[in-house]
Amino acid sequence: MPPLAPGRSLTVPRALVGLLAVVLAALLAGCSSGSGPGSGAGTATGPRPAGTSASAPAWAHGMGTVRESRLPAEARTALARIDRGGPFPYAKDGVVFGNYEGRLPGHRRGYYHEYTVKTPGSRDRGARRIVTGQGGEIYYTDDHYNSFRAVLR
């Protein structure tokens, strides 16, 4: 296309401008519809944290979730050991988790138990854990109990 002569302007058909305006409006409306993950849609009690699922069990209500298949390989290995009842590579595997910070739902002492998830390259137990509850709950933390996600199987 040759350059425009000085003093001349490019004219765009009005129909094209109108079409572009409609497309832009539709895109903007879709971005702010509130139906995406973490938008709060789908719960009667308010916003749902990012990563939660409408099919999450009641014990996971209000917290982030992760599918077992999305956990690190080491966490899936630890879960398989837990399912088999051992053997466990760390002396503290299976000990009572106190939940002192109260980041998990409150239960009597002894309800929760913790298991180490191997951290590649770590010389000690690392920061990753699986915590199980006596009601079948499974939680995963990769930041040494600062946050938990409910594991969905």
Side-chain angles (χ1 to χ4, degrees):
M1 184 164 152
L4 292 175
R8 300 242 357 203
S9 65
L10 181 64
T11 57
V12 179
R14 292 180 80 111
L16 182 57
V17 171
L19 178 64
L20 289 172
V22 169
V23 169
L24 180 61
L27 286 172
L28 290 174
C31 290
S32 63
S33 68
S35 61
S39 67
T43 62
T45 58
R48 186 169 55 226
T52 60
S53 167
S55 62
W59 56 266
H61 178 76
M63 69 184 320
T65 61
V66 60
R67 291 246 167 240
E68 179 179 3
S69 62
R70 305 286 299 194
L71 287 170
E74 298 84 4
R76 294 190 310 270
T77 298
L79 275 173
R81 277 193 193 105
I82 294 166
D83 290 343
R84 288 191 310 265
F88 300 107
Y90 298 91
K92 292 194 172 193
D93 284 347
V95 300
V96 170
F97 173 71
N99 193 28
Y100 300 119
E101 293 82 9
R103 291 197 170 86
L104 297 180
H107 288 284
R108 70 188 177 335
R109 179 155 174 75
Y111 185 87
Y112 294 116
H113 291 83
E114 68 173 274
Y115 301 86
T116 304
V117 174
K118 184 176 179 163
T119 303
S122 179
R123 297 170 65 96
D124 59 14
R125 290 176 67 208
R128 303 190 301 179
R129 302 284 188 277
I130 289 175
V131 175
T132 61
Q134 291 179 355
E137 310 94 298
I138 302 170
Y139 302 96
Y140 175 71
T141 179
D142 58 6
D143 58 10
H144 205 259
Y145 319 117
N146 287 319
S147 65
F148 287 93
R149 288 181 284 166
V151 177
L152 304 178
R153 293 187 120 174

